[in-house]
């Protein structure tokens, strides 16, 4: 399955945890996280799920 990720800019507090855990998927822009890929590569999906569950404000939304 193909997984897409989004960061809700109204929720993100810029803690950068996701960027540290998953630098191939997330980047920072104007102090908020942003998704830098269109589709999560299959080998990054597990890490991405971790990011989504560990984000302190649940700003990362995965859709599949
Ligand atoms: Fe923002 Fe959550 Fe990442 S607060 S910087 S989306 S871990």
């Amino acid at each position: 399955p193909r997984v897409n990720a989004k960061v809700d800019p109204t929720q993100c507090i810029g803690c950068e945890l996701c960027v540290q855990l998953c630098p191939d998927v997330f980047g920072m822009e104007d102090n908020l996280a942003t998704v830098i890929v269109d589709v999560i590569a299959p080998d990054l999906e597990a890490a991405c799920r971790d990011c989504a569950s560990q984000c302190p404000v649940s700003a990362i939304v995965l859709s599949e």
Side-chain angles (χ1 to χ4, degrees):
R2 283 290 187 237
V3 177
N4 287 290
K6 272 190 201 156
V7 174
D8 181 345
T10 68
Q11 295 293 320
C12 176
I13 54 171
C15 77
E16 298 193 29
L17 182 67
C18 55
V19 181
Q20 283 165 25
L21 290 176
C22 227
D24 293 326
V25 174
F26 300 99
M28 295 302 289
E29 195 177 301
D30 297 334
N31 296 317
L32 296 176
T34 170
V35 177
I36 57 176
V37 292
D38 286 336
V39 174
I40 313 294
D43 59 327
L44 293 176
E45 278 181 22
C48 210
R49 278 180 220 286
D50 262 9
C51 289
S53 64
Q54 289 190 47
C55 171
V57 292
S58 303
I60 301 169
V61 181
L62 299 182
S63 59
E64 43 202 306

